[in-house]
């Protein structure tokens, strides 16, 4: 990893298209909404999202965590300090205690990224060489610190902004047993676990210890084979299920998702989720088969068997040598005993011959003496051979004991390697399966909550409204008097008149261009085209190109526009969001993460087109939508919209996109700016003003970061508060002109949303919570700066709340003149846009 950046993961909590979802606490005293989890006897049915008044307590815990991490970093990296290891372990324990505390209080922070980073930090602290100065250890430790700081701060920030990514959530609110298991895994120790040396000593002292170890190693090999068989059978069932989901998707897509049918958007989203689940399972199965489970275990099994057989052969060879020595010893002993017995007999015979005496026996005595001497020599040779065999046996036995130690160590190493492979494969297996299923409870609960919001007859009313039928002509029945001169008698005369002529359907103009609807012909006449796709003059793709919708190459079944040469898959025409500009479409633009000055420089008024596009669509359709900017969009759709903006720029058609998806795109763009709209150099001054504002509103405001909501009372407003507003206004004068124009544009938009708080539940303070970190943040200077900056969260929100509430006072002098020298055409377009927004608001009021 290079320099770690703040993750920009999007939430997978989907909102059904067109239906608002109550997924967070909108204001004080409102009912607590829930985020559903999978039904489990060990879990409560619901978990409460964070409330506005709970934010200060969370931030205090974050501050404690930041200080603990900083202290741990100082202790580990301080070379001159003695006894660093126990002190570092104590600091690590404090970090983990705070982490467990905050996770138990806010289960939505229990993510894969956070616990993975915690595990990496534990291993680095415990494996650090405190006695010697090792640069590699320092770099790895600093990287671990940076990883946990970024992961934790990002999760907290997303929780506060209502953008929790459920795809990375672990089980929420674990049982007491599983909580103990998690604690043990965080500390990486088990009290009942014996050390490797103790295990080897036990086996070394036991009869048949090596054979038992070899038997266990052989059993592991069979066990790996059984595990592979189980997972392969399980994956086969999962793949069959995913194929069934794909078949259902293909057969039901056109039948149960007809527009203007009841719950069509619910079932459309359900089908898309089924397809996403099926694709995810296919990818997971491939990963488990080829990368993380089956293949690694097969290779490990082969290596394990090879090593086991080599170790067994070494052990058997050493045992055979000892057995040979023991056999030689037994033979030598037997020969020695025989020779000694023979020597005793010869000596006894010689002594008896001497005792008998006589001249006739002299020769006999000499013969007996020679026999005794020969027997004695043989006995001595046998004794020497016997002693040599004893020494050889002792030496071979010692060598066998040394071999036993070596073999037991090798067996344990092989077993540990296999255990590690099984552990990694098991973790990967259950993590991948968890990632495939963790979003399902949220998906289903979201669909359930969205279904409850459906008003019977709603879709029928929309269907009738969208028919755009001409008015029925008026029919008049008039009496005509009898006339004798007439050759026919008419009792009545039917007069029909019609004064209505239907207007042609039009698309909103883009940069002065009004796209026309092109009736699809040829190979695309039976394809369901999106509104944007209907503006293109389509033909068959003539050469392989990159699809502007899904960003993959098109080889077959492709379409291209005859005017702008946009290329697209045939299947992607249903969701295409880029309209025809009647000229060649430019290449892909690097938009997200690009410097603000580069993007704003391409706009005459200094406001990036993506901001105007997203805000314009939200003001047109979603000013009254409950939870706008707080409820999440669908991750896949948000990513496609971001891609469409980079591919099509101003030509992106948003009328068919969910407002929650659009709001996510806007927040993501602001959050990924290298430097926020309110620059780094103003951050400290802004935070100082926010703290003074909270202090003015209450004695504890500056300390807790929480105060009463701001209200503009005009002349009756607190003079101290007005003075702070004036200082904020003067501070904003230091912004570059494009930054000022963009900030004014966003603040005006947020004020319009706040004015409809009764409908959308988005007060200025709630909008401040969402947009504060996106519009301002401190300059990144260290690994824990992201943690420390979270403490400023309420102050960032206070600045945005002030911009909204006191918008007329802060931007009044600027609003009377154009943001920059623009043409008359641009000004007229802006006026038309404002008039259109006002008309839409009036229509919404009338409908309500």
């Amino acid at each position: 990893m290079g320099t770690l950046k703040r993750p920009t993961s999007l939430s997978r909590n989907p909102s059904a298209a067109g239906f608002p979802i109550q997924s967070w606490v909108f204001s004080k005293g409102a009912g607590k909404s829930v985020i559903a989890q999978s039904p489990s006897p060990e879990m409560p049915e619901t978990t409460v999202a964070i409330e506005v008044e709970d934010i200060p307590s969370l931030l205090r815990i974050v501050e404690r965590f930041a200080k603990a991490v900083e202290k741990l970093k100082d202790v580990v990296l301080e070379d001159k300090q003695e006894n660093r290891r126990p002190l570092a372990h104590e600091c690590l324990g404090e970090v983990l205690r705070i982490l467990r505390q905050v996770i138990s209080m806010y289960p939505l922070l229990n993510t894969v990224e956070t616990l993975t980073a915690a595990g990496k930090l534990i291993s680095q602290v415990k494996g650090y060489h405190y006695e010697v100065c090792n640069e590699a250890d320092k770099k790895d430790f600093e990287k671990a610190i940076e990883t946990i700081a970024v992961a934790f701060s990002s999760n907290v920030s997303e929780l506060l902004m209502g953008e929790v990514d459920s795809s990375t959530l672990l089980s929420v609110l674990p049982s007491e047993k599983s909580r103990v298991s998690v604690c043990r895994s965080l500390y990486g120790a088990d009290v009942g676990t014996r050390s490797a040396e103790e295990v080897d000593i036990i086996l070394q002292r036991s009869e048949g210890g090596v054979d038992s170890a070899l038997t266990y190693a052989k059993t592991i090999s069979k066990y790996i084979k059984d595990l592979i068989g189980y997972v392969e059978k399980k994956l086969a069932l999962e793949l069959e299920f995913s194929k069934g989901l794909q078949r259902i998707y293909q057969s039901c897509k056109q039948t149960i998702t007809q527009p203007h049918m009841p719950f069509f958007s619910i079932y459309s989203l359900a089908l898309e989720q089924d397809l996403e689940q099926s694709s995810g399972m296919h990818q997971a199965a491939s990963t488990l088969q080829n990368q993380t489970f089956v293949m690694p275990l097969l290779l490990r099994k082969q290596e394990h068997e090879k090593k086991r057989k080599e170790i067994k052969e070494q052990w058997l060879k050493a045992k055979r040598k000892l057995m040979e020595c023991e056999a030689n010893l037994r033979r030598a002993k037997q020969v020695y005993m025989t020779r000694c017995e023979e020597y005793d007999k010869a000596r006894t015979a010689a002594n008896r011959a001497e005792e008998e005496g006589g001249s006739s026996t002299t020769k006999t005595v000499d013969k007996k003496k020679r026999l005794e001497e020969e027997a004695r020599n043989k006995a001595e040779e046998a004794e020497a051979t016997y002693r040599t065999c004893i020494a050889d046996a002792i030496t071979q036995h010692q060598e066998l004991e040394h071999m036993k130690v070596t073999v037991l160590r090798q067996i344990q190493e092989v077993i540990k390697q296999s255990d590690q492979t099984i552990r990694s494969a098991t973790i990967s297996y259950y993590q991948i399966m968890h990632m495939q299923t963790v979003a399902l409870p949220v998906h289903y609960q979201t669909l359930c909550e969205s279904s409850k919001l459906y008003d019977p007859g709603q879709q029928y009313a929309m269907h009738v409204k969208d028919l755009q039928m001409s008015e029925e002509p008026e029919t008049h029945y008039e009496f005509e008097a009898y006339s004798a001169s007439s050759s026919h008698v008419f009792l009545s005369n039917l007069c029909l008149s019609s004064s209505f002529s239907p207007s042609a359907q039009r698309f909103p103009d883009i940069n002065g261009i009004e796209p026309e609807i092109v009736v699809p012909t040829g190979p695309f006449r039976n394809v369901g085209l999106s509104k944007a796709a209907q503006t293109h003059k389509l033909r068959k793709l003539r050469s392989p190109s990159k699809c502007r919708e899904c960003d993959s190459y098109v080889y077959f079944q492709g379409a291209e526009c005859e005017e702008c040469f946009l290329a697209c898959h045939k299947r992607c025409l249903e969701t295409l969001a880029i309209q025809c500009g009647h000229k060649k479409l430019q290449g892909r633009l690097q938009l997200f993460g690009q410097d603000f000055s580069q993007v704003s420089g391409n706009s005459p008024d200094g406001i990036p087109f993506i901001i105007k596009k997203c805000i314009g669509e939200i003001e047109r359709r979603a000013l009254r939508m409950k939870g706008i900017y707080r409820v999440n969009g669908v991750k896949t759709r948000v990513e496609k919209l971001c891609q469409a903006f980079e591919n099509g720029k101003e030509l992106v058609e948003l009328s068919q996109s969910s407002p929650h998806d659009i709001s996510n795109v806007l927040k993501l763009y602001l959050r990924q700016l290298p430097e926020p709209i309110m620059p780094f150099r103003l951050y400290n001054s802004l935070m100082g003003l926010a703290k003074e504002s909270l202090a003015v509103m209450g004695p504890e405001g500056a300390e807790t970061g929480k105060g009463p909501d701001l209200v503009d009372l005009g002349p009756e407003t607190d003079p101290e508060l007005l003075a702070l507003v004036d200082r904020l206004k003067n501070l904003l004068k230091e912004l570059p002109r494009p930054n000022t124009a963009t900030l004014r544009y966003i603040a005006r938009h947020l004020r319009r949303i706040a004015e409809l708080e009764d409908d959308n539940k988005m007060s200025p303070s709630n909008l401040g919570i969402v947009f504060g970190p996106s519009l301002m943040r401190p300059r990144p200077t260290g690994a824990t700066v992201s943690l420390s900056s979270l403490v400023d969260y309420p102050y960032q929100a206070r600045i945005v709340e002030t911009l909204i509430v006191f918008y007329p006072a802060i931007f009044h002098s600027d609003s009377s003149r154009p943001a920059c020298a623009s043409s008359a055409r641009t000004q007229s377009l802006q006026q038309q846009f404002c008039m259109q927004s006002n008309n839409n608001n009036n229509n919404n009021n009338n409908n309500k």
Side-chain angles (χ1 to χ4, degrees), residues 735-756:
L735 293 176
R737 185 176 292 270
N739 297 55
T740 303
T742 304
L743 183 62
R744 179 175 60 249
Y745 191 84
I746 295 174
R748 181 179 61 183
H749 167 65
L750 298 181
R751 182 176 174 86
R752 289 173 179 170
I753 292 177
E755 288 172 350
L756 299 173

Side-chain angles (χ1 to χ4, degrees), residues 55-56 59-60 63 160 678 682-695 699-707 710 728 765 768-769 771-773 775-777 788-803:
I55 291 178
L59 295 180
R60 283 194 292 271
E63 185 176 8
L160 294 173
M678 304 176 80
L682 300 183
Y683 184 78
N684 292 333
S685 299
L686 291 170
M687 294 301 97
L689 287 176
K691 293 176 182 178
E692 291 184 38
S693 171
L694 290 169
E700 300 180 356
E703 297 180 2
T704 63
K706 181 178 178 296
L710 293 175
L728 175 59
S765 61
I769 292 173
F771 276 90
L775 295 176
M776 70 199 81
R777 61 178 180 271
S788 302
S789 65
L790 282 176
V791 183
D792 295 337
Y793 208 99
Y795 309 126
Q796 297 168 353
R798 194 66 166 185
I799 292 295
V800 176
E801 181 183 2
T802 304
L803 294 177

Side-chain angles (χ1 to χ4, degrees), residues 31-319:
K32 296 180 179 178
S33 64
V34 299
I35 299 177
Q37 304 296 328
S38 56
S40 171
E42 295 185 356
M43 294 183 189
E45 295 182 357
T46 60
T47 172
V48 181
I50 186 170
E51 295 194 52
V52 175
E53 52 265 30
D54 293 334
I55 291 178
S57 61
L58 171 60
L59 295 180
R60 283 194 292 271
I61 299 178
V62 172
E63 185 176 8
R64 286 176 51 211
F65 183 77
K67 292 180 179 178
V69 171
E70 192 67 32
K71 183 179 180 181
L72 172 62
K73 180 180 177 182
D74 294 339
V75 169
V76 173
L77 297 181
E78 181 59 47
D79 296 334
K80 298 180 181 180
Q81 188 173 353
E82 297 180 357
N83 299 325
R84 284 188 295 158
R85 184 181 296 276
L87 186 57
H89 285 202
E90 181 181 347
C91 294
L92 175 64
E94 179 64 19
V95 170
L96 297 179
R97 280 191 292 272
I98 298 175
L99 183 61
R100 289 198 303 275
Q101 178 186 359
V102 72
I103 286 178
S104 64
M105 293 176 61
Y106 305 98
L108 292 176
L109 297 176
N110 191 21
T111 63
V112 175
E113 289 87 353
T114 300
L115 294 188
T116 301
K120 183 177 180 181
L121 180 63
I122 293 170
S123 63
Q124 290 298 326
V125 173
K126 291 191 173 183
Y128 194 87
H129 296 85
Y130 295 91
E131 296 79 11
V132 294
C133 182
N134 192 327
E135 291 298 326
D137 281 355
K138 286 185 177 181
K139 289 182 180 179
D140 292 340
F141 173 73
E142 289 175 349
K143 187 181 295 184
I145 287 287
E146 187 174 3
T147 301
I148 193 171
V150 172
F152 182 73
S153 62
S154 298
N155 289 331
V156 173
S157 178
E158 289 172 3
L159 173 66
L160 294 173
M161 296 175 65
E163 295 183 356
V164 178
D165 186 355
S166 64
S167 65
T168 61
L169 289 178
L170 298 176
S171 300
V172 177
L173 293 178
S175 64
E176 189 63 29
K177 182 178 179 181
S178 63
R179 187 178 293 114
V180 172
S181 176
V182 169
C183 293
R184 285 184 176 180
S185 65
L186 281 176
Y187 282 109
D190 190 349
V191 178
T193 303
R194 295 181 181 269
S195 66
E197 292 78 6
E198 291 177 348
V199 172
D200 287 346
I201 290 173
I202 292 173
L203 291 174
Q204 185 180 357
R205 294 176 178 176
S206 302
E207 183 179 0
V210 175
D211 295 331
S212 299
L214 288 170
T215 302
Y216 184 86
K218 185 177 181 179
T219 307
I220 281 187
S221 180
K222 183 179 181 301
Y223 182 68
I224 293 176
K225 180 181 177 181
D226 295 338
L227 287 180
I228 293 174
Y230 162 72
V231 171
E232 285 182 334
K233 292 177 182 178
K234 182 75 178 296
L235 291 179
L237 291 176
E238 296 288 354
L239 286 175
E240 186 62 31
F241 176 71
S242 67
K243 291 177 181 177
L245 282 181
Q246 288 183 348
R247 290 193 292 269
I248 291 174
Y249 175 82
Q250 296 298 336
S251 62
C252 299
K253 181 180 180 181
Q254 300 297 334
T255 56
I256 68 174
T257 59
Q258 300 180 20
H260 301 311
M261 290 294 103
F263 298 98
F264 85 95
S265 59
I266 296 292
Y267 288 104
S268 297
L269 183 58
L271 283 175
E272 293 296 332
Q273 292 172 357
D274 289 341
L275 183 62
E276 183 179 351
Q277 180 185 357
S278 174
S279 301
M281 183 50 64
H282 271 282
Q283 184 178 359
S286 175
T287 302
L288 290 170
Q289 187 75 32
N290 301 319
Q291 298 178 17
T292 62
F293 195 93
V294 176
M295 190 57 65
L297 285 185
L298 281 175
L299 295 176
R300 181 64 243 165
K301 179 179 179 295
Q302 296 173 1
E303 184 68 20
H304 179 92
E305 277 295 284
K306 179 182 176 182
K307 290 286 186 182
R308 183 187 68 83
K309 291 178 179 178
E310 291 177 355
I311 296 171
K312 183 178 180 181
E313 184 61 31
Q314 293 177 9
W315 174 246
L316 293 179
K317 185 177 179 180
K319 286 182 67 176

Side-chain angles (χ1 to χ4, degrees), residues 279-446:
S279 301
M281 183 50 64
H282 271 282
Q283 184 178 359
S286 175
T287 302
L288 290 170
Q289 187 75 32
N290 301 319
Q291 298 178 17
T292 62
F293 195 93
V294 176
M295 190 57 65
L297 285 185
L298 281 175
L299 295 176
R300 181 64 243 165
K301 179 179 179 295
Q302 296 173 1
E303 184 68 20
H304 179 92
E305 277 295 284
K306 179 182 176 182
K307 290 286 186 182
R308 183 187 68 83
K309 291 178 179 178
E310 291 177 355
I311 296 171
K312 183 178 180 181
E313 184 61 31
Q314 293 177 9
W315 174 246
L316 293 179
K317 185 177 179 180
K319 286 182 67 176
R320 283 194 296 266
K321 287 183 178 180
L322 179 60
M323 290 172 63
E324 291 175 0
C325 289
E326 290 176 343
N328 293 335
L329 177 61
R330 285 192 297 269
R331 286 194 297 269
K333 180 180 180 180
Q334 184 178 0
V335 171
Y336 168 72
M337 294 300 177
T338 302
R339 297 292 186 234
C340 288
E341 184 178 355
E342 292 176 351
Y343 171 65
D344 285 343
K345 290 180 179 180
R347 186 176 57 184
T348 303
N351 292 335
R352 188 181 301 115
E354 286 181 354
E355 291 175 357
E356 292 178 354
S359 59
S360 61
T361 61
T362 302
K363 293 182 179 180
T364 303
V365 171
D366 291 339
K367 182 178 179 181
K368 295 292 183 179
K369 288 290 184 180
R370 287 196 304 270
L371 292 176
E372 179 187 359
E373 184 66 23
E374 290 176 359
R376 186 174 64 82
N377 292 336
K378 290 180 179 180
E380 289 177 354
E381 289 178 1
E383 180 181 357
T385 303
Y386 182 27
R387 291 183 182 279
T388 301
C389 290
I390 291 176
D392 290 342
I394 292 174
T395 302
Q396 196 59 44
H397 185 269
Q398 291 176 348
E399 291 181 359
L400 184 66
E401 288 297 318
H402 289 303
M403 179 60 68
K404 181 186 291 188
V405 173
T406 303
V407 166
L408 287 174
R409 186 180 298 115
Q410 290 177 349
I411 292 175
Q412 183 162 172
E413 185 63 29
V414 170
I415 291 174
K416 279 186 175 180
Q417 291 175 359
S418 298
D419 281 358
Q420 181 61 36
T421 304
I422 296 174
R423 178 179 180 272
S424 301
T426 303
I427 291 173
S428 174
Y429 171 67
Y430 286 111
Q431 182 173 342
I432 290 176
M433 299 304 294
H434 166 79
M435 298 293 285
Q436 296 303 316
T437 58
V438 68
L440 293 180
V442 180
H443 289 337
Y444 288 129
Q445 184 64 22
T446 300

